[in-house]
Amino acid sequence: MNIAQKYVDGLKKAYYENDGEELWDSFERVMHGAGKEDLEQLQAVYPDIPDSLLQLLEIVDGTYWREYAGKKLTLLFLGSDMEGYPYFLLSARQMMDTKDSFQSWGDYLIDREFDDIPVDEGICDDLDKLCWLHFSDCVNNGGTSQLFIDFSPSAEGKKGQIVRYLHDPDELVIIADSFDEYLQMLMENEYDFINEDSLDGWD
């Protein structure tokens, strides 16, 4: 079993254990993986995309206002290093559509314009060289936090590292050295972003 399938199996268990069985089952009945064409296009845009992310997209092609069976649906699917804070998984097409979107507004972070805003030294300082794959938005439509795979690290970083953007207070932090390590972190934290409070009000 690959890490993506292991992750999804554990996520399902977390939903069941937190009274989210009906929510998960209704999503599982309609969800499907990304099409071959979308996955090939994503690989063409990001040649270094990790196998584990592709495998995850082969199981479920996004949970962020993703249309399945004629209806746009959302499902809490990912977390971060911030305990209990849920995120959505973007679809393969959404990942392509948001390519370079960070550059349009995040230059002040990459350029280190403000000394009081933490930016990890493993993140490069050249906006023109930035190559990030935006794969996740937080529960409030990404306004507070987004997650990226960084293919253009500084000399202190690692290619493929996971970067978390947080707003108010702003910061850019490396939370894992790879996407596999990121999924492993969420599993070791026992999917703490899934709980009765985070699932309250979702249908």
Side-chain angles (χ1 to χ4, degrees), residues 35-93:
K36 181 180 178 182
E37 183 177 345
D38 281 349
L39 290 175
E40 288 176 348
Q41 289 179 5
L42 187 61
Q43 285 182 284
V45 173
Y46 296 102
D48 296 312
I49 186 172
D51 289 341
S52 50
L53 178 53
L54 291 172
Q55 290 161 357
L56 197 60
L57 289 168
E58 288 173 350
I59 300 170
V60 53
D61 188 26
T63 69
Y64 183 48
W65 297 114
R66 175 68 167 86
E67 185 171 317
Y68 291 104
K71 182 179 179 181
K72 287 191 176 181
L73 303 172
T74 56
L75 186 85
L76 305 179
F77 198 83
L78 295 168
S80 73
D81 57 321
M82 299 187 293
E83 184 178 354
Y85 204 70
Y87 292 72
F88 304 113
L89 172 69
L90 272 61
S91 70
R93 184 150 296 281

Side-chain angles (χ1 to χ4, degrees), residues 24-195:
W24 178 270
D25 287 349
S26 64
F27 185 80
E28 189 175 53
R29 281 193 293 270
V30 298
M31 76 179 192
H32 56 73
K36 181 180 178 182
E37 183 177 345
D38 281 349
L39 290 175
E40 288 176 348
Q41 289 179 5
L42 187 61
Q43 285 182 284
V45 173
Y46 296 102
D48 296 312
I49 186 172
D51 289 341
S52 50
L53 178 53
L54 291 172
Q55 290 161 357
L56 197 60
L57 289 168
E58 288 173 350
I59 300 170
V60 53
D61 188 26
T63 69
Y64 183 48
W65 297 114
R66 175 68 167 86
E67 185 171 317
Y68 291 104
K71 182 179 179 181
K72 287 191 176 181
L73 303 172
T74 56
L75 186 85
L76 305 179
F77 198 83
L78 295 168
S80 73
D81 57 321
M82 299 187 293
E83 184 178 354
Y85 204 70
Y87 292 72
F88 304 113
L89 172 69
L90 272 61
S91 70
R93 184 150 296 281
Q94 286 170 327
M95 292 178 194
M96 289 183 283
D97 289 345
T98 58
K99 183 182 183 295
D100 301 331
S101 63
F102 181 84
Q103 285 90 318
S104 67
W105 58 267
D107 53 336
Y108 70 100
L109 293 162
I110 300 302
D111 293 338
R112 276 70 165 180
E113 290 183 20
F114 305 101
D115 294 337
D116 59 339
I117 296 180
V119 178
D120 199 295
E121 64 180 8
I123 296 170
C124 78
D125 59 3
D126 188 339
L127 197 66
D128 292 333
K129 293 181 179 178
L130 205 67
C131 181
W132 285 10
L133 190 165
H134 173 211
F135 69 90
S136 182
D137 276 352
C138 70
V139 69
N140 69 338
N141 298 320
T144 297
S145 186
Q146 297 179 339
L147 300 175
F148 304 86
I149 302 178
D150 178 8
F151 300 114
S152 53
S154 72
E156 289 76 24
K158 293 185 178 181
K159 192 173 186 177
Q161 64 196 9
I162 306 302
V163 174
R164 171 179 53 75
Y165 161 72
L166 181 68
H167 174 60
D168 196 19
D170 287 7
E171 65 177 14
L172 283 178
V173 177
I174 297 168
I175 63 172
D177 287 341
S178 68
F179 192 76
D180 284 39
E181 184 178 297
Y182 163 71
L183 291 181
Q184 190 64 44
M185 175 186 73
L186 299 183
M187 290 188 287
E188 290 176 357
N189 290 340
E190 299 181 338
Y191 304 87
D192 62 9
F193 56 94
I194 298 298
N195 52 63

